[in-house]
Amino acid sequence: MRWMLAGLLTIVAAPAAAQDREYCPERPGLGTPACTISPGRVSVETALGDWTRDEDADQRSDTVLLGDTLMRIGLTDTIEAQIGFTPFGHVRTRDKLAGDIDSADRVGDAMLGFKANLKNPDGKGLSVAVHPFVTVPVGRSPVGAGDWGAGLVVPVTYDLSDALNFETTSEIDAAVDEDGRGRHVAFSETVGLGLALSKALTATAELQALRDDDPSGATTQMLAGVSLACVLGENLQIDAGANAGLNRDAPDMEVYLGVSRRF
């Protein structure tokens, strides 16, 4: 175990040098880019604030996440390790009929996984990757899922021109049941277009369909999202975005603000 830890630290501490490439955070947006982090580099990508509203005739639910973070560690030219964690979540639910209000402050779950790029790890041209992951139930409901889960993400991106990029992200999950016991199948497809407005600023528009076959009741969510990402220098990006539900099963609205930093 000691030699394995020493080897990992050596990889992380190694200079990026010739293998280094343009910074490519996973934030923002509904989809996932196919690019990977250069070996020896670390990317820390954090949602400074994320608010979701879900309302129907009976109740309204507001969820606020603070500090939701993904850390990506470049291991080889095409493989990166990933660790995700939600340190704080606040959920407030109001019953419109009775007037009762319930609120909870919780820690979220952790995610462990890796992404392996199969073509063009810098994300240029046609880029393809696979990203298997597991979720570890370190948090509690309603922010944490209550049990372990797993999934596989397959992102594909293609440069239509110097300024226009097409993206698609396919995902299938062993998602945790709503009651926190057991798992079921959930899958989604996300498509989007990214437009470079300038060398530093990129706008992205996306559509997502998500099918969740939870035993308590299957749902199909349709979402639309827009986001802006601004690169400041070679190793820093700030972003903002919003997602809107297009049908009854989807949350009404989500807005977020984040920052990504490469070390």
Side-chain angles (χ1 to χ4, degrees), residues 133-147:
F133 67 89
V134 296
T135 56
V136 184
V138 297
R140 290 190 297 137
S141 178
V143 178
D147 202 350

Side-chain angles (χ1 to χ4, degrees), residues 5 34-35 51 61 74 86 112 114 118 135 138 140 155 163 169 208 238 250 254:
L5 180 58
C35 56
W51 167 62
S61 177
T86 304
L112 304 174
F114 69 91
L118 307 179
T135 56
V138 297
R140 290 190 297 137
T169 303
Q208 183 182 77
I238 57 174
E254 177 185 13

